[in-house]
Amino acid sequence: QVRLVESGGGLVQAGDSLALSCAASGQIFGFYAVGWFRKAPGKEREFVAAMTWSGRSPIYADSVKGRFIISRDNTKSAMYLRMNSLKPDDTAVYYCAARAGTVVSNGASYAHWGQGTQVTVSS
C-alpha cells in the first residue's frame, strides 16, 4: 500500500506559477510509476502528467504540454508538478497517483491516490 498526500495548492492569478508536491509513504515508492490528474467542477477527471519509476519519459496532456513539468525524487519518496503560465482553465482539484508498472495516462489504472489539493486560477 502506498499512501499519498498532496500539498501546494492555492489561489493564483492567470500567468502565475505554482508547484505541487506529493509525499508518499508505505511501500517502496521508487518502484511505482506516478501521475498527476485533475478534476474541475462539472467535468470528468482528466490526465495531466505521468512518469516512470526512474523519472524518465514523462508524458503530458496536450493542454499542459510546455507549461507543466512533472518530476520526482525517490530518495525523498516525493513527486512534484511545476505549473507555469497558469490559466483559469487549469482550475481544478489536483490529485497525485501511483501504480505498479509502466506509465500510463488512464486514471483507472492507478491503484493509489492522494486526497487532492485545490488549485484556483483567477483571470
Side-chain angles (χ1 to χ4, degrees):
Q1 182 73 16
V2 175
R3 291 174 291 278
L4 304 171
V5 179
E6 303 93 339
S7 62
L11 171 63
V12 297
Q13 293 186 332
D16 285 351
S17 297
L18 197 62
L20 304 183
S21 299
C22 177
S25 61
Q27 294 187 358
I28 300 175
F29 178 68
F31 291 162
Y32 288 78
V34 295
W36 286 96
F37 296 80
R38 66 187 183 186
K39 188 178 187 310
K43 296 184 178 181
E44 296 291 321
R45 182 182 63 194
E46 66 172 342
F47 166 75
V48 175
M51 70 186 337
T52 64
W53 66 271
S54 65
R56 297 178 180 176
S57 304
I59 59 174
Y60 296 93
D62 288 343
S63 59
V64 306
K65 196 172 296 183
R67 298 189 298 123
F68 290 13
I69 301 172
I70 185 174
S71 61
R72 67 188 295 168
D73 186 340
N74 290 340
T75 65
K76 297 181 179 179
S77 294
M79 57 188 285
Y80 310 96
L81 184 68
R82 176 69 178 182
M83 304 183 293
N84 299 315
S85 302
L86 282 162
K87 305 174 182 179
D89 284 349
D90 295 320
T91 296
V93 177
Y94 283 71
Y95 300 89
C96 61
R99 70 183 299 271
T102 58
V103 59
V104 297
S105 60
N106 181 1
S109 297
Y110 287 76
H112 310 285
W113 292 83
Q115 82 290 348
T117 185
Q118 176 71 47
V119 173
T120 303
V121 184
S122 64
S123 58

